[in-house]
């Protein structure tokens, strides 16, 4: 893995005092500090120019944020049937005397929203939350909504 000595750049630099690192600046270790040192001091111009807003805080702190309480995946009525699949929809369309049951909570969805069209076939939708528009569209299609805990 090691490079052959005779091919190294240093062989060409023999006899040249500073070996390409300059007499004045000199090849020293960490002249301006390691890493992001000096962002508010000697590197301030660079930080202000290329990384504005890097320092400081923004917003409010939320102690003991319970993400599960805010967890509410949604599905729109136009995608409602895609949860159970096209075959199930056609099977349900064949026999409209019984409404098909779609329990969205089984698919990890809690709330049904009202975007898009719903095929005109009765369906019983079980969900934790349902928007007004979604409920209206489901009922117009001859279906019903059941809220589950």
């Amino acid at each position: 893995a090691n490079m052959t000595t005779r091919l190294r750049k240093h062989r060409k630099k023999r006899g040249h005092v500073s070996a390409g690192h300059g007499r004045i600046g000199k090849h020293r270790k960490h002249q301006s500090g390691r890493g992001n040192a000096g962002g508010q001091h000697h590197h301030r111009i660079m930080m202000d120019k290329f990384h504005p807003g890097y320092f400081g805080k923004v917003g409010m702190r939320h102690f003991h944020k319970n993400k599960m309480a805010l967890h509410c995946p949604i599905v729109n009525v136009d995608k409602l049937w895609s949860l159970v699949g096209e075959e199930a929809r056609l099977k349900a369309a064949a026999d409209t005397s019984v409404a098909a049951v779609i329990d969205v909570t089984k698919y990890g969805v809690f709330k049904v929203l009202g975007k898009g069209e719903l095929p005109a076939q009765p369906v019983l939708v079980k969900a934790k939350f349902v928007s007004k528009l979604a409920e209206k569209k489901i009922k117009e299609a001859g279906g019903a909504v059941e809220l589950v805990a």
Side-chain angles (χ1 to χ4, degrees):
N2 288 347
M3 191 173 164
T4 332
T5 308
R6 66 191 169 78
L7 298 177
R8 285 188 182 279
K9 195 177 189 176
H10 197 250
R11 299 312 307 159
K12 285 213 186 298
K13 296 285 182 196
R14 283 318 223 155
H16 302 278
V17 177
S18 316
H21 289 294
R23 275 174 195 265
I24 297 168
K26 299 185 195 66
H27 187 58
R28 296 274 160 88
K29 292 274 171 66
H30 297 276
Q31 293 299 72
S32 57
R34 291 177 190 237
N36 289 342
Q40 288 178 303
H41 308 286
H42 54 285
H43 289 159
R44 168 164 261 166
I45 287 172
M46 190 273 283
M47 292 306 283
D48 289 352
K49 188 172 180 180
F50 298 110
H51 308 285
Y54 178 81
F55 294 106
K57 302 177 183 181
V58 64
M60 288 178 282
R61 299 203 293 167
H62 189 319
F63 304 111
H64 193 72
K65 186 176 190 179
N66 184 5
K67 292 216 175 133
M68 276 308 289
L70 306 170
H71 181 75
C72 187
I74 59 145
V75 66
N76 282 299
V77 290
D78 57 355
K79 298 277 183 226
L80 208 52
W81 279 104
S82 68
L83 290 177
V84 289
E86 185 66 11
E87 284 177 24
R89 188 183 73 76
L90 294 170
K91 197 173 162 188
D95 181 20
T96 52
S97 60
V98 181
V101 179
I102 301 179
D103 188 353
V104 296
T105 54
K106 280 187 180 160
Y107 302 95
V109 177
F110 290 177
K111 188 167 186 174
V112 181
L113 302 180
K115 179 189 156 206
E117 298 298 313
L118 195 59
Q121 59 188 91
V123 58
L124 172 62
V125 179
K126 293 182 172 185
K128 290 189 176 190
F129 310 102
V130 180
S131 71
K132 279 183 193 163
L133 186 61
E135 192 171 8
K136 181 169 161 261
K137 286 187 180 179
I138 292 164
K139 286 189 174 149
E140 279 171 4
V145 171
E146 188 181 317
L147 295 179
V148 292

